Amino acid sequence: MPKGNKRTAGFESNQISRREFLASVAASAALASVGSVLLKPGHANAAEPTKGGLMKFGVGGGSQSDTLDPATWPSTFALAALGGSMCNNLTEILPDGSVVPDLAESFEPSEGATRWVFKLRKGSTFHNGKSVTPADIIASMQHHMGKGTNSGAKAMLAQVGSVEADGKDGVTFRLNSGVADFPYLLADFHLPIMPAKTEGGLDWTAKVGTGPFLLERFEPGVSAKLKRNPNYYKEGKPYLDEVEFMVIMDVVALTNALVTDEVQFMEGVDIKTLNMLKRSPDIALQLVPSAGHDSFDMNTQVAPFNNKDVRLALKYAINREEILEKIFFGTAKLGNDNPLALSMPFAVDPQPQHAYNIEKAKEHLKKAGYETLKIDLSVAPSAATGAVEAASLFKEQAAKAGIEINLILEANDGYWDKVWLKKPFASAEYFGRATADWLFTQFYQTGADWNPTHFSNKRFDELLVAARGETDQAKRASQYAEMQQILHDEGGAIVYAFLNYTNAVSKKVGFNKVGGVFPLDNGRASERWWLTA
């Protein structure tokens, strides 16, 4: 990704150094502005880390169907408890939004970013004492590749033609086309490094990773308890002796757990309780700007949502401003059916803004052949921040256009297994992604296993492949702009709000800058945070 309109010398010669790569993706650190905001001062965010103690994290994501198989990890619980605590990836996204080697010691692109060599960190071991080898890296990648998997990372790794050992301490990825952002993709929380089986495949049942904590207990849908890894490669980390991640779906129960010090961190504060929590002398609010968003997703392959005008009718039948005012109390930003947050590189604001317009909604409904329309919308409290309340407002708003929305209140447990991707119209909240390619590949590329709207657009797919390895920054920006316009005009996602991660922490908790690509400090809170008392 060069600066200006000229190709970089590195790509022209089919050689690009790691230094050039890091400079070229500097734009991706637009998320560098991400950082915690404490609405009430206290010990939280203390500058000097201290060692020891047990910290309990209260999270809303988690299901009885959760497993240790990283291909299936859908939620914050798996991201932070299993990925960020038990495991490491080849690369890591820092709080400032930049990407650095993690289990890898270095990475080098060449041949127009179609070949990437990762050198492994010397002396890295799994929790059972086994050394990390190229075979483990290969098995960890191949677990998400091919026809036999429905992993959330499958679409991203479809770009990989082969992954092979490069001596005793390296791995070479050969890509089907140039991917300038490839190290970012390997930081995806579905791609932790786990041990390979002797007979082939990934031994995710071994319950071991290389991460800062060793798994002691895992109860799906309930909790995970982990203890400090004394042999962790990062000197001085983790600071905590033990961590426990507790699944508490009910936001009232989760708030009470924080207030009574049963947990020291609460994910997803109910916006209506902000003022109450601000008054507590023992609790600080943590607002982390993110690229996450809430949406109502329509399956574009199923009637009536396979009609573009029906989709546009619904986009004009929702009053986003009212939802932001009444559900988020001004803490979220307006969405316009483009999933790429304006804080991200290459983001644009496609026009027109899909504002609440009953006449336009009726006009598009009529073009689709309907005078009135009855549809079901699946929703659950765990689906998104204020999901049920937002859907209830949407129901009232759309009724004025002759659209009758029947709200189906789904169970919290199992929502991501039984509803998301399966029901034709459903509520969902999405973590951000560090790059446009990552987001579009995982959620909007034709055939992606995690394509919630089942969107399929030939031009979009062509642009996606072209933009990945494009070295002319202006051309790449134009390609991504066109892709965003396509999603805005034709896509099935009603993106109505961009969010902060709104959490609450005990003032016993210390941390520095907090990453906002993924929740819980990019999933690394257990490694990066500490207790001050």
Side-chain angles (χ1 to χ4, degrees):
M1 192 194 321
K3 298 180 180 179
N5 294 326
K6 297 181 179 179
R7 288 185 175 273
T8 61
F11 274 105
E12 285 181 331
S13 63
N14 285 335
Q15 299 292 325
I16 179 171
S17 68
R18 180 171 177 270
R19 178 180 294 180
E20 288 169 328
F21 165 77
L22 292 172
S24 73
V25 297
S28 292
L31 288 173
S33 60
V34 169
S36 58
V37 179
L38 296 176
L39 300 187
K40 194 175 180 67
H43 293 294
N45 208 29
E48 293 299 325
T50 55
K51 290 226 173 187
L54 163 65
M55 181 172 173
K56 295 183 179 182
F57 295 81
V59 297
S63 170
Q64 292 180 2
S65 60
D66 285 344
T67 75
L68 294 175
D69 180 358
T72 68
W73 291 350
S75 66
T76 304
F77 175 81
L79 159 75
L82 306 178
S85 298
M86 189 178 77
C87 301
N88 296 94
N89 288 38
L90 280 176
T91 59
E92 173 185 359
I93 298 176
L94 296 181
D96 67 3
S98 61
V99 65
V100 295
D102 189 2
L103 266 188
E105 190 172 70
S106 65
F107 48 77
E108 287 285 346
S110 61
E111 300 175 17
T114 62
R115 180 177 181 268
W116 288 84
V117 176
F118 289 77
K119 292 296 182 184
L120 303 187
R121 193 172 296 280
K122 294 177 178 61
S124 297
T125 60
F126 290 103
H127 296 151
N128 58 7
K130 177 188 176 300
S131 296
V132 179
T133 68
D136 301 311
I137 310 302
I138 293 168
S140 295
M141 298 299 117
Q142 289 181 340
H143 185 65
H144 307 272
M145 299 167 66
K147 295 180 180 179
T149 180
N150 58 357
S151 168
K154 179 180 178 180
M156 295 186 301
L157 293 185
Q159 306 166 38
V160 178
S162 67
V163 51
E164 302 168 346
D166 184 11
K168 295 182 179 180
D169 63 350
V171 175
T172 296
F173 292 81
R174 293 189 179 276
L175 312 184
N176 299 324
S177 59
V179 182
D181 302 331
F182 188 63
Y184 274 101
L185 303 186
L186 296 184
D188 184 87
F189 66 95
H190 297 96
L191 300 177
I193 305 306
M194 292 182 172
K197 295 180 182 177
T198 304
E199 66 275 19
L202 188 67
D203 192 7
W204 55 264
T205 61
K207 302 181 181 180
V208 298
T210 61
F213 293 91
L214 291 75
L215 186 65
E216 285 191 304
R217 184 185 73 246
F218 172 46
E219 297 179 63
V222 180
S223 67
K225 179 79 176 294
L226 303 97
K227 65 179 180 180
R228 190 176 189 273
N229 176 7
N231 300 315
Y232 193 46
Y233 87 85
K234 293 184 182 179
E235 187 176 353
K237 288 188 177 180
Y239 305 115
L240 299 164
D241 287 335
E242 298 177 284
V243 291
E244 185 171 5
F245 293 83
M246 303 172 66
V247 178
I248 306 176
M249 293 288 194
D250 184 82
V251 69
V252 175
L254 184 51
T255 304
N256 288 337
L258 178 72
V259 171
T260 59
D261 202 38
E262 182 182 352
V263 300
Q264 290 77 51
F265 170 89
M266 170 186 176
E267 178 202 19
V269 170
D270 184 341
I271 304 298
K272 296 187 291 294
T273 66
L274 282 178
N275 288 331
M276 181 271 288
L277 290 172
K278 279 198 290 186
R279 291 194 294 270
S280 170
D282 302 315
I283 295 169
L285 293 173
Q286 183 192 68
L287 267 65
V288 184
S290 82
H293 59 274
D294 284 357
S295 70
F296 297 119
D297 295 330
M298 302 173 276
N299 185 335
T300 58
Q301 305 303 312
V302 173
F305 308 112
N306 58 349
N307 189 305
K308 174 184 172 181
D309 282 296
V310 167
R311 301 196 294 270
L312 284 170
L314 285 161
K315 290 175 181 180
Y316 281 112
I318 182 171
N319 189 332
R320 304 154 202 262
E321 289 86 352
E322 185 180 18
I323 291 174
L324 262 61
E325 178 186 349
K326 293 183 177 179
I327 306 302
F328 297 100
F329 297 95
T331 63
K333 295 180 180 179
L334 187 68
N336 188 25
D337 307 327
N338 171 20
L340 200 64
L342 286 175
S343 61
M344 293 182 63
F346 303 112
V348 298
D349 187 13
Q351 295 302 308
Q353 170 69 47
H354 287 148
Y356 188 46
N357 190 319
I358 294 301
E359 292 307 312
K360 276 191 171 292
K362 289 180 177 179
E363 176 186 327
H364 284 289
L365 208 59
K366 190 172 182 179
K367 282 184 182 180
Y370 296 93
E371 291 297 330
T372 60
L373 182 67
K374 293 181 69 172
I375 51 175
D376 293 336
L377 172 58
S378 292
V379 66
S382 64
T385 304
V388 176
E389 296 85 350
S392 297
L393 279 177
F394 186 18
K395 174 184 173 76
E396 294 175 8
Q397 296 158 358
K400 296 176 183 178
I403 301 172
E404 182 182 340
I405 298 178
N406 175 41
L407 295 185
I408 300 177
L409 186 60
E410 307 279 3
N412 272 329
D413 188 65
Y415 184 86
W416 299 102
D417 299 315
K418 300 172 184 176
V419 178
W420 185 67
L421 295 175
K422 295 177 175 64
K423 296 293 182 76
F425 196 23
S427 173
E429 184 168 299
Y430 296 90
F431 305 156
R433 296 295 188 267
T435 70
D437 179 65
W438 188 350
L439 180 74
F440 292 157
T441 299
Q442 195 161 33
F443 296 118
Y444 295 97
Q445 185 177 28
T446 298
D449 284 332
W450 274 22
N451 182 338
T453 61
H454 301 269
F455 186 65
S456 179
N457 182 284
K458 183 179 179 181
R459 175 62 177 165
F460 181 91
D461 292 340
E462 291 172 347
L463 288 165
L464 181 61
V465 172
R468 278 181 192 141
E470 179 55 59
T471 61
D472 184 312
Q473 188 173 8
K475 187 173 181 180
R476 198 178 193 205
S478 175
Q479 290 166 332
Y480 281 126
E482 184 178 349
M483 293 162 71
Q484 292 167 76
Q485 192 70 49
I486 289 171
L487 291 176
H488 171 274
D489 296 346
E490 303 182 24
I494 303 174
V495 180
Y496 58 89
F498 283 93
L499 314 173
N500 294 306
Y501 293 134
T502 305
N503 309 313
V505 291
S506 165
K507 289 187 179 177
K508 299 176 183 178
V509 178
F511 49 84
N512 290 311
K513 191 170 189 175
V514 177
V517 175
F518 296 124
L520 276 82
D521 206 351
N522 297 340
R524 299 290 188 123
S526 63
E527 175 188 306
R528 298 171 180 169
W529 298 5
W530 61 90
L531 292 174
T532 62

